[in-house]
Amino acid sequence: MPDWKLPFDRHSESATVLPGETQGGLGTFGGVYTPSILTILGVIMYLRFGWVVGNVGLLGTLLIVILANSITFFTALSVCAIATDKVVRAGGAYYMISRSLGAETGGAVGIPLYFAQALSVALYTIGFAESLKAAFPHINQLYVALVVTSLVGILAFMSASIAIKAQYFIMAAIVLSLVSFYFGHPVEETHIELWVNNKAPFWTVFSVFFPAVTGIMAGVNMSGDLRDPIRSLPSGTLWAVGTGFAIYMTMPIFMAMRANSNTLIAEPLIMQQMAVWGPLILLGVWGATLSSAIGSILGAPRILQALARDGILPKWMSFLGQGSGPQDEPKMGTLATLVVAIAAVCVGDLNLIAPVLTMFFLTTYLVLNMSAAIEGFLQSPSFRPSFKVHWAFSLSGAIGCLIVMFLIDAVATVVAAIVVIGIYFWVRQRELIVTWGDVRRGLWMALLRTAILQTDHTDDTKNWRPQLLVLSGAPTKRWTLIQLAEALTHNRGLITVSSVLPVGSRDMAKQAILEKRIRNYLQRRGVQALVRLVTAPDPFDGAERLVETYGLGSIVPDTVLLGDSQQSSHRDRYCQMIANLHRAQRNVIILRENPKLDQNPFLESRHRPCYIDIWWSGGMQGNGSLMLILAYLLRSNPNWQDAEICLKLVVTDETGVQAAQANLDNLAKHLRIGALSEVILADGRTFATILKKSSMGADLIFLGMASPGEVFMQSYEKLQNWTENLPTSIFVLAAPGFDFEGVLGEN
C-alpha cells in the first residue's frame, strides 16, 4: 500500500497538534459545534417531527427525545473521554475505535459508518427535494434530488473551506426559522393529545427520529481538520447535544398545542403553517438539508480516506487514501461518496433510508461506548483523559444502543451484527501490520490476572490437561517434538517451547530477539505456543532450572516433553535429570524416533488408518492411566480421530489368559475411550521379542518407565534396547501422587 504519511504531514501518526498551537485549522465553533448542530437540526426536524408527534402524542414524543438523546449524550461523553486522551486525526469515530479496539474492529465499524454517512447525503437531499415539491408541486422530486446531490458533491470536491463557510449563513437561516416557529400560531382548534395510538408503532417512530440526534458524528468526522481536537471535540460536541435536546424537548409542546394528530401526520411542512412567516420555514428547511448534506459529504470521504490509509480497504482501493492540496482534502473519496449518494437518491424514500441509518449509527455508537468503557475499566496507565468519564456511563450507553437496536428491529440488528462480524474477520484474515497499540492486550491481561488469582494450587482431576514444557532445542531440528505437543493439547493446554543456551552465547537483548524469531517461526507453521530460552552451563542444569522457576502462580508446566538421549556419554546425567523432574512432581514424556524407518506419524499426509499400541503393566496406577489419557488426547485431535487404540498385556500363565482378557475388556469398556484389548501369552518368549513382533506395524507405541531408583539408568537403557528398530515410541513416567485415575473417571 502506498505510504501517504509524510514526515511533516499534520495528518500523519507522528504529527502532534497540541493545545494552544496557532497552526491552521478549524476551531470549536466552526469545526465541531456548527456542523453538529446543523446536522441535528435537519431534515427530520422540519419534515418528520410533526409526523412523530402525530403518531405517538406529546408524552410519547418527549420519551423518544429523552431516550434518543440519552444514548447520544452517553456517546458524547465517551467521545470526550477518548478525544481528550489522544489526538484524534482524520477519520473521527473510525480513528477512535481502531486506536482503542484494533484495526479489525475499527474496520468492521468504520466501513458501515462510511456508508451511513454517504447515505445521509441522500437522506438530506431527498428531504430538500421533498420540501421543494411541497412548495412547487409541479417539479419532479427525483430530478431535483439528483441535481442537488451532484451540486453538493461538486462543492465539496472543489473546496471544503467554502462549504464550511457557507454553513454560517445556513445557521442564521435556521435560527430565524425557529424564531418564526416559536412565535407562530395554531392552525386549527385542538386539545393536547398526550398519548396517540396511530398506525406507526413506537419503535418504528423512534427509528425514523433517531438520525436527528446523530449529528455529533458530523463534528467528530472533521477531527483531522481541527486546530485543537483535544479541546474542541468535547466542548463543541456537548454544546451541540445540549442545544439540540433543548429544542427537541420544546418543539413538540408547541406542535401539540397547534394541530391535531391527523394534521401533523398528513402535513410534512406543518411548521410552515404554524410560523409567523411561512417562507422562513422553507428557508430553514432548505438550509438545514443542504448544510446536513454538506456535512455528510465532507465527513464520509474523510472516513474513507482513513480506511484506505490504514490498509483496511483492499490494495486496489488505496487511491482513495490520496489527499489534495495543503488541507489534504480527500477528493477521490468525495467522488466515490457522490456515486453512493446518487445511487441512494434513486431509492427516494426518507422513511426507508432513515431506519437503515439508525442501525449503522447505533452500531457505531455502541462500539464507541464500548471502547471508552473498556479503556476506563482497565485503568491502563496510557489512558489518561483530561475529560474523565466513569466507565459505567459508557457501558450504559453501549447497553442502551444494543437494547434499542433489538427493539427497533431484531432481524435488522442480527443482520447488522453479521455484517460487522463478517467485515471483522475479513480484515483479520489479512493480518494487517499496524503501528499503534490497542486495548485488547490490556483486556487479556486483566482477564489473565483474574484467572491466575482464582486458580489455586489444589490438584483438580476434573479440569486436568497437560501444560507442556517442550525441551526441543532448535525447533527446526526437533520439529516432531512440537508436533506431538500440538497433537496432545489441540487448543486445550499450554505449550512452551524451550531451549537451553550455553552461558555467554548471547546477551539478554539477543536472547529476546531469538525468542521472537522462534515465536514467528511457530506462528508461520500454525503452532500456538509460548517460547522461553535460558542460559546454563549445560542443558541438563538449564532444563532443571526451567522446571524449578518457570510459570506464573499455579499456572506451571505439569508435563515435560523431551527427546531420547542417543549419546551414551550423557546418559547418566540425562537419567539423573529425569529423576529430578520426577521428584519435582512433573510428568515426563520421552519421544524416541527411529531414523532408519523414516517415519513421522504426525504428518497430516500419513497413511490411514493408524494404530496406537499401549503396553499395559502395573494396572491403573501411575503410568497406565497417564498413557491412556495421552492416547485419548491424541485421538481427540482431528488428525488422529481415526486412530485405533489397542491395550496390550503379556501374561506368562495360560490359565490366566481368559481372566486377563475379561478384565482388560471390562476396563476398556468402562473407560469409554473406544480402546481394543489384546492379551498375549508369553509362551517362553521375552518381552522384547513379543514387543517387536506385535508392534512393528504400529504408528505409535506407549511404554511406561520404572520409577527412578538406583538402577534407573539400566532400566532406561533396557527400554531403548527393546524399541530399537521399532516405530516411534513414547516413554511415559507419571508424576507421583497425582490421581490420574480420577481424570479417567475411576473415582
Side-chain angles (χ1 to χ4, degrees), residues 461-485:
T461 58
K462 181 176 178 60
N463 295 294
W464 184 87
R465 61 208 61 207
Q467 313 294 348
L468 289 168
L469 179 66
V470 185
L471 300 174
S472 64
T476 54
K477 295 181 179 179
R478 309 204 74 170
W479 184 249
T480 312
L481 279 173
I482 298 172
Q483 288 178 306
L484 173 58

PDB file of all heavy atoms in Angstrom, residues 461-485:
ATOM      1  N   THR A 461      -8.675 -33.054  39.304  1.00  0.00           N
ATOM      2  CA  THR A 461      -8.712 -34.083  38.263  1.00  0.00           C
ATOM      3  C   THR A 461      -9.738 -33.780  37.186  1.00  0.00           C
ATOM      4  O   THR A 461      -9.559 -34.151  36.027  1.00  0.00           O
ATOM      5  CB  THR A 461      -9.027 -35.453  38.894  1.00  0.00           C
ATOM      6  OG1 THR A 461     -10.275 -35.365  39.593  1.00  0.00           O
ATOM      7  CG2 THR A 461      -7.939 -35.850  39.875  1.00  0.00           C
ATOM      8  N   LYS A 462     -10.822 -33.105  37.552  1.00  0.00           N
ATOM      9  CA  LYS A 462     -11.877 -32.833  36.574  1.00  0.00           C
ATOM     10  C   LYS A 462     -11.388 -31.931  35.448  1.00  0.00           C
ATOM     11  O   LYS A 462     -11.797 -32.078  34.290  1.00  0.00           O
ATOM     12  CB  LYS A 462     -13.093 -32.196  37.273  1.00  0.00           C
ATOM     13  CG  LYS A 462     -14.254 -31.905  36.335  1.00  0.00           C
ATOM     14  CD  LYS A 462     -15.449 -31.364  37.085  1.00  0.00           C
ATOM     15  CE  LYS A 462     -16.596 -31.034  36.157  1.00  0.00           C
ATOM     16  NZ  LYS A 462     -17.081 -32.189  35.403  1.00  0.00           N
ATOM     17  N   ASN A 463     -10.545 -30.959  35.778  1.00  0.00           N
ATOM     18  CA  ASN A 463     -10.111 -29.979  34.781  1.00  0.00           C
ATOM     19  C   ASN A 463      -8.653 -30.152  34.376  1.00  0.00           C
ATOM     20  O   ASN A 463      -8.055 -29.232  33.828  1.00  0.00           O
ATOM     21  CB  ASN A 463     -10.322 -28.556  35.334  1.00  0.00           C
ATOM     22  CG  ASN A 463     -11.784 -28.240  35.559  1.00  0.00           C
ATOM     23  OD1 ASN A 463     -12.561 -28.164  34.619  1.00  0.00           O
ATOM     24  ND2 ASN A 463     -12.176 -28.092  36.820  1.00  0.00           N
ATOM     25  N   TRP A 464      -8.081 -31.344  34.642  1.00  0.00           N
ATOM     26  CA  TRP A 464      -6.671 -31.532  34.291  1.00  0.00           C
ATOM     27  C   TRP A 464      -6.492 -31.604  32.782  1.00  0.00           C
ATOM     28  O   TRP A 464      -7.298 -32.163  32.060  1.00  0.00           O
ATOM     29  CB  TRP A 464      -6.132 -32.825  34.908  1.00  0.00           C
ATOM     30  CG  TRP A 464      -4.661 -32.992  34.646  1.00  0.00           C
ATOM     31  CD1 TRP A 464      -3.632 -32.499  35.386  1.00  0.00           C
ATOM     32  CD2 TRP A 464      -4.063 -33.686  33.536  1.00  0.00           C
ATOM     33  NE1 TRP A 464      -2.431 -32.848  34.833  1.00  0.00           N
ATOM     34  CE2 TRP A 464      -2.660 -33.575  33.681  1.00  0.00           C
ATOM     35  CE3 TRP A 464      -4.574 -34.383  32.448  1.00  0.00           C
ATOM     36  CZ2 TRP A 464      -1.772 -34.135  32.786  1.00  0.00           C
ATOM     37  CZ3 TRP A 464      -3.679 -34.939  31.541  1.00  0.00           C
ATOM     38  CH2 TRP A 464      -2.292 -34.818  31.713  1.00  0.00           C
ATOM     39  N   ARG A 465      -5.421 -31.006  32.341  1.00  0.00           N
ATOM     40  CA  ARG A 465      -4.995 -31.096  30.950  1.00  0.00           C
ATOM     41  C   ARG A 465      -3.486 -30.873  30.932  1.00  0.00           C
ATOM     42  O   ARG A 465      -2.951 -30.200  31.820  1.00  0.00           O
ATOM     43  CB  ARG A 465      -5.708 -30.066  30.076  1.00  0.00           C
ATOM     44  CG  ARG A 465      -5.475 -28.633  30.459  1.00  0.00           C
ATOM     45  CD  ARG A 465      -6.652 -27.781  30.067  1.00  0.00           C
ATOM     46  NE  ARG A 465      -7.865 -28.203  30.730  1.00  0.00           N
ATOM     47  CZ  ARG A 465      -9.092 -28.017  30.225  1.00  0.00           C
ATOM     48  NH1 ARG A 465      -9.246 -27.449  29.062  1.00  0.00           N
ATOM     49  NH2 ARG A 465     -10.154 -28.421  30.892  1.00  0.00           N
ATOM     50  N   PRO A 466      -2.785 -31.420  29.990  1.00  0.00           N
ATOM     51  CA  PRO A 466      -1.322 -31.271  30.006  1.00  0.00           C
ATOM     52  C   PRO A 466      -0.892 -29.842  29.676  1.00  0.00           C
ATOM     53  O   PRO A 466      -1.329 -29.265  28.685  1.00  0.00           O
ATOM     54  CB  PRO A 466      -0.858 -32.252  28.922  1.00  0.00           C
ATOM     55  CG  PRO A 466      -2.037 -32.400  28.011  1.00  0.00           C
ATOM     56  CD  PRO A 466      -3.255 -32.243  28.865  1.00  0.00           C
ATOM     57  N   GLN A 467      -0.076 -29.280  30.566  1.00  0.00           N
ATOM     58  CA  GLN A 467       0.585 -28.000  30.306  1.00  0.00           C
ATOM     59  C   GLN A 467       2.038 -28.364  29.990  1.00  0.00           C
ATOM     60  O   GLN A 467       2.817 -28.665  30.888  1.00  0.00           O
ATOM     61  CB  GLN A 467       0.493 -27.070  31.517  1.00  0.00           C
ATOM     62  CG  GLN A 467      -0.890 -26.964  32.136  1.00  0.00           C
ATOM     63  CD  GLN A 467      -1.897 -26.297  31.219  1.00  0.00           C
ATOM     64  OE1 GLN A 467      -1.535 -25.697  30.194  1.00  0.00           O
ATOM     65  NE2 GLN A 467      -3.175 -26.396  31.560  1.00  0.00           N
ATOM     66  N   LEU A 468       2.386 -28.322  28.729  1.00  0.00           N
ATOM     67  CA  LEU A 468       3.626 -28.947  28.262  1.00  0.00           C
ATOM     68  C   LEU A 468       4.797 -27.980  28.204  1.00  0.00           C
ATOM     69  O   LEU A 468       4.685 -26.867  27.659  1.00  0.00           O
ATOM     70  CB  LEU A 468       3.414 -29.544  26.870  1.00  0.00           C
ATOM     71  CG  LEU A 468       2.518 -30.793  26.806  1.00  0.00           C
ATOM     72  CD1 LEU A 468       2.152 -31.105  25.375  1.00  0.00           C
ATOM     73  CD2 LEU A 468       3.223 -31.978  27.438  1.00  0.00           C
ATOM     74  N   LEU A 469       5.916 -28.408  28.762  1.00  0.00           N
ATOM     75  CA  LEU A 469       7.192 -27.736  28.569  1.00  0.00           C
ATOM     76  C   LEU A 469       8.001 -28.613  27.623  1.00  0.00           C
ATOM     77  O   LEU A 469       8.398 -29.729  27.971  1.00  0.00           O
ATOM     78  CB  LEU A 469       7.917 -27.566  29.907  1.00  0.00           C
ATOM     79  CG  LEU A 469       9.297 -26.902  29.846  1.00  0.00           C
ATOM     80  CD1 LEU A 469       9.178 -25.445  29.413  1.00  0.00           C
ATOM     81  CD2 LEU A 469      10.002 -27.000  31.197  1.00  0.00           C
ATOM     82  N   VAL A 470       8.220 -28.132  26.407  1.00  0.00           N
ATOM     83  CA  VAL A 470       8.874 -28.927  25.360  1.00  0.00           C
ATOM     84  C   VAL A 470      10.345 -28.527  25.292  1.00  0.00           C
ATOM     85  O   VAL A 470      10.674 -27.400  24.905  1.00  0.00           O
ATOM     86  CB  VAL A 470       8.198 -28.708  23.993  1.00  0.00           C
ATOM     87  CG1 VAL A 470       8.815 -29.630  22.948  1.00  0.00           C
ATOM     88  CG2 VAL A 470       6.700 -28.936  24.093  1.00  0.00           C
ATOM     89  N   LEU A 471      11.219 -29.425  25.684  1.00  0.00           N
ATOM     90  CA  LEU A 471      12.661 -29.175  25.612  1.00  0.00           C
ATOM     91  C   LEU A 471      13.139 -29.562  24.221  1.00  0.00           C
ATOM     92  O   LEU A 471      13.688 -30.636  23.996  1.00  0.00           O
ATOM     93  CB  LEU A 471      13.382 -29.977  26.697  1.00  0.00           C
ATOM     94  CG  LEU A 471      12.976 -29.661  28.143  1.00  0.00           C
ATOM     95  CD1 LEU A 471      13.652 -30.615  29.114  1.00  0.00           C
ATOM     96  CD2 LEU A 471      13.301 -28.223  28.483  1.00  0.00           C
ATOM     97  N   SER A 472      12.897 -28.675  23.284  1.00  0.00           N
ATOM     98  CA  SER A 472      13.100 -29.009  21.869  1.00  0.00           C
ATOM     99  C   SER A 472      14.440 -28.564  21.321  1.00  0.00           C
ATOM    100  O   SER A 472      14.846 -28.997  20.238  1.00  0.00           O
ATOM    101  CB  SER A 472      11.992 -28.367  21.024  1.00  0.00           C
ATOM    102  OG  SER A 472      12.083 -26.957  21.098  1.00  0.00           O
ATOM    103  N   GLY A 473      15.138 -27.665  22.036  1.00  0.00           N
ATOM    104  CA  GLY A 473      16.305 -27.064  21.411  1.00  0.00           C
ATOM    105  C   GLY A 473      15.856 -26.195  20.248  1.00  0.00           C
ATOM    106  O   GLY A 473      14.833 -25.513  20.325  1.00  0.00           O
ATOM    107  N   ALA A 474      16.584 -26.238  19.163  1.00  0.00           N
ATOM    108  CA  ALA A 474      16.156 -25.506  17.966  1.00  0.00           C
ATOM    109  C   ALA A 474      14.935 -26.197  17.368  1.00  0.00           C
ATOM    110  O   ALA A 474      15.008 -27.381  17.009  1.00  0.00           O
ATOM    111  CB  ALA A 474      17.284 -25.451  16.950  1.00  0.00           C
ATOM    112  N   PRO A 475      13.788 -25.504  17.262  1.00  0.00           N
ATOM    113  CA  PRO A 475      12.556 -26.152  16.767  1.00  0.00           C
ATOM    114  C   PRO A 475      12.702 -26.785  15.400  1.00  0.00           C
ATOM    115  O   PRO A 475      12.084 -27.818  15.112  1.00  0.00           O
ATOM    116  CB  PRO A 475      11.543 -24.999  16.747  1.00  0.00           C
ATOM    117  CG  PRO A 475      12.071 -23.993  17.705  1.00  0.00           C
ATOM    118  CD  PRO A 475      13.561 -24.101  17.628  1.00  0.00           C
ATOM    119  N   THR A 476      13.531 -26.201  14.545  1.00  0.00           N
ATOM    120  CA  THR A 476      13.668 -26.737  13.187  1.00  0.00           C
ATOM    121  C   THR A 476      14.313 -28.121  13.192  1.00  0.00           C
ATOM    122  O   THR A 476      14.075 -28.929  12.287  1.00  0.00           O
ATOM    123  CB  THR A 476      14.511 -25.784  12.328  1.00  0.00           C
ATOM    124  OG1 THR A 476      15.754 -25.532  13.003  1.00  0.00           O
ATOM    125  CG2 THR A 476      13.789 -24.459  12.123  1.00  0.00           C
ATOM    126  N   LYS A 477      15.143 -28.405  14.215  1.00  0.00           N
ATOM    127  CA  LYS A 477      15.849 -29.681  14.256  1.00  0.00           C
ATOM    128  C   LYS A 477      15.030 -30.778  14.922  1.00  0.00           C
ATOM    129  O   LYS A 477      15.228 -31.961  14.640  1.00  0.00           O
ATOM    130  CB  LYS A 477      17.186 -29.501  14.983  1.00  0.00           C
ATOM    131  CG  LYS A 477      18.163 -28.584  14.244  1.00  0.00           C
ATOM    132  CD  LYS A 477      19.473 -28.455  15.001  1.00  0.00           C
ATOM    133  CE  LYS A 477      20.452 -27.550  14.249  1.00  0.00           C
ATOM    134  NZ  LYS A 477      21.730 -27.385  14.989  1.00  0.00           N
ATOM    135  N   ARG A 478      14.130 -30.421  15.836  1.00  0.00           N
ATOM    136  CA  ARG A 478      13.336 -31.427  16.543  1.00  0.00           C
ATOM    137  C   ARG A 478      11.861 -31.056  16.436  1.00  0.00           C
ATOM    138  O   ARG A 478      11.159 -30.936  17.439  1.00  0.00           O
ATOM    139  CB  ARG A 478      13.782 -31.526  17.998  1.00  0.00           C
ATOM    140  CG  ARG A 478      15.279 -31.704  18.160  1.00  0.00           C
ATOM    141  CD  ARG A 478      15.645 -32.365  19.465  1.00  0.00           C
ATOM    142  NE  ARG A 478      15.351 -33.797  19.471  1.00  0.00           N
ATOM    143  CZ  ARG A 478      15.758 -34.627  20.427  1.00  0.00           C
ATOM    144  NH1 ARG A 478      16.478 -34.176  21.434  1.00  0.00           N
ATOM    145  NH2 ARG A 478      15.451 -35.903  20.383  1.00  0.00           N
ATOM    146  N   TRP A 479      11.421 -30.869  15.228  1.00  0.00           N
ATOM    147  CA  TRP A 479      10.053 -30.414  14.990  1.00  0.00           C
ATOM    148  C   TRP A 479       9.023 -31.473  15.394  1.00  0.00           C
ATOM    149  O   TRP A 479       7.904 -31.136  15.772  1.00  0.00           O
ATOM    150  CB  TRP A 479       9.881 -30.051  13.511  1.00  0.00           C
ATOM    151  CG  TRP A 479       8.529 -29.477  13.216  1.00  0.00           C
ATOM    152  CD1 TRP A 479       7.532 -30.044  12.489  1.00  0.00           C
ATOM    153  CD2 TRP A 479       8.021 -28.226  13.672  1.00  0.00           C
ATOM    154  NE1 TRP A 479       6.434 -29.227  12.451  1.00  0.00           N
ATOM    155  CE2 TRP A 479       6.713 -28.090  13.175  1.00  0.00           C
ATOM    156  CE3 TRP A 479       8.547 -27.191  14.439  1.00  0.00           C
ATOM    157  CZ2 TRP A 479       5.917 -26.985  13.426  1.00  0.00           C
ATOM    158  CZ3 TRP A 479       7.765 -26.075  14.698  1.00  0.00           C
ATOM    159  CH2 TRP A 479       6.465 -25.991  14.197  1.00  0.00           C
ATOM    160  N   THR A 480       9.410 -32.739  15.363  1.00  0.00           N
ATOM    161  CA  THR A 480       8.474 -33.795  15.725  1.00  0.00           C
ATOM    162  C   THR A 480       8.013 -33.651  17.175  1.00  0.00           C
ATOM    163  O   THR A 480       6.864 -33.965  17.502  1.00  0.00           O
ATOM    164  CB  THR A 480       9.110 -35.182  15.517  1.00  0.00           C
ATOM    165  OG1 THR A 480       9.718 -35.231  14.235  1.00  0.00           O
ATOM    166  CG2 THR A 480       8.065 -36.279  15.628  1.00  0.00           C
ATOM    167  N   LEU A 481       8.889 -33.171  18.064  1.00  0.00           N
ATOM    168  CA  LEU A 481       8.502 -32.934  19.454  1.00  0.00           C
ATOM    169  C   LEU A 481       7.364 -31.925  19.540  1.00  0.00           C
ATOM    170  O   LEU A 481       6.398 -32.102  20.291  1.00  0.00           O
ATOM    171  CB  LEU A 481       9.695 -32.428  20.263  1.00  0.00           C
ATOM    172  CG  LEU A 481      10.702 -33.462  20.771  1.00  0.00           C
ATOM    173  CD1 LEU A 481      11.896 -32.755  21.399  1.00  0.00           C
ATOM    174  CD2 LEU A 481      10.049 -34.392  21.775  1.00  0.00           C
ATOM    175  N   ILE A 482       7.465 -30.859  18.760  1.00  0.00           N
ATOM    176  CA  ILE A 482       6.428 -29.820  18.777  1.00  0.00           C
ATOM    177  C   ILE A 482       5.146 -30.347  18.144  1.00  0.00           C
ATOM    178  O   ILE A 482       4.033 -30.030  18.593  1.00  0.00           O
ATOM    179  CB  ILE A 482       6.946 -28.558  18.059  1.00  0.00           C
ATOM    180  CG1 ILE A 482       8.172 -28.015  18.809  1.00  0.00           C
ATOM    181  CG2 ILE A 482       5.856 -27.490  17.966  1.00  0.00           C
ATOM    182  CD1 ILE A 482       8.893 -26.899  18.113  1.00  0.00           C
ATOM    183  N   GLN A 483       5.284 -31.161  17.112  1.00  0.00           N
ATOM    184  CA  GLN A 483       4.095 -31.769  16.511  1.00  0.00           C
ATOM    185  C   GLN A 483       3.362 -32.659  17.517  1.00  0.00           C
ATOM    186  O   GLN A 483       2.131 -32.664  17.583  1.00  0.00           O
ATOM    187  CB  GLN A 483       4.492 -32.583  15.277  1.00  0.00           C
ATOM    188  CG  GLN A 483       4.904 -31.740  14.085  1.00  0.00           C
ATOM    189  CD  GLN A 483       5.324 -32.597  12.914  1.00  0.00           C
ATOM    190  OE1 GLN A 483       6.194 -33.469  13.050  1.00  0.00           O
ATOM    191  NE2 GLN A 483       4.712 -32.372  11.758  1.00  0.00           N
ATOM    192  N   LEU A 484       4.117 -33.430  18.311  1.00  0.00           N
ATOM    193  CA  LEU A 484       3.495 -34.266  19.336  1.00  0.00           C
ATOM    194  C   LEU A 484       2.803 -33.403  20.386  1.00  0.00           C
ATOM    195  O   LEU A 484       1.668 -33.697  20.793  1.00  0.00           O
ATOM    196  CB  LEU A 484       4.554 -35.154  19.997  1.00  0.00           C
ATOM    197  CG  LEU A 484       4.086 -35.968  21.210  1.00  0.00           C
ATOM    198  CD1 LEU A 484       2.923 -36.882  20.848  1.00  0.00           C
ATOM    199  CD2 LEU A 484       5.245 -36.782  21.798  1.00  0.00           C
ATOM    200  N   ALA A 485       3.457 -32.327  20.813  1.00  0.00           N
ATOM    201  CA  ALA A 485       2.848 -31.435  21.805  1.00  0.00           C
ATOM    202  C   ALA A 485       1.567 -30.821  21.274  1.00  0.00           C
ATOM    203  O   ALA A 485       0.548 -30.752  21.980  1.00  0.00           O
ATOM    204  CB  ALA A 485       3.842 -30.338  22.190  1.00  0.00           C
TER     205      ALA A 485
END
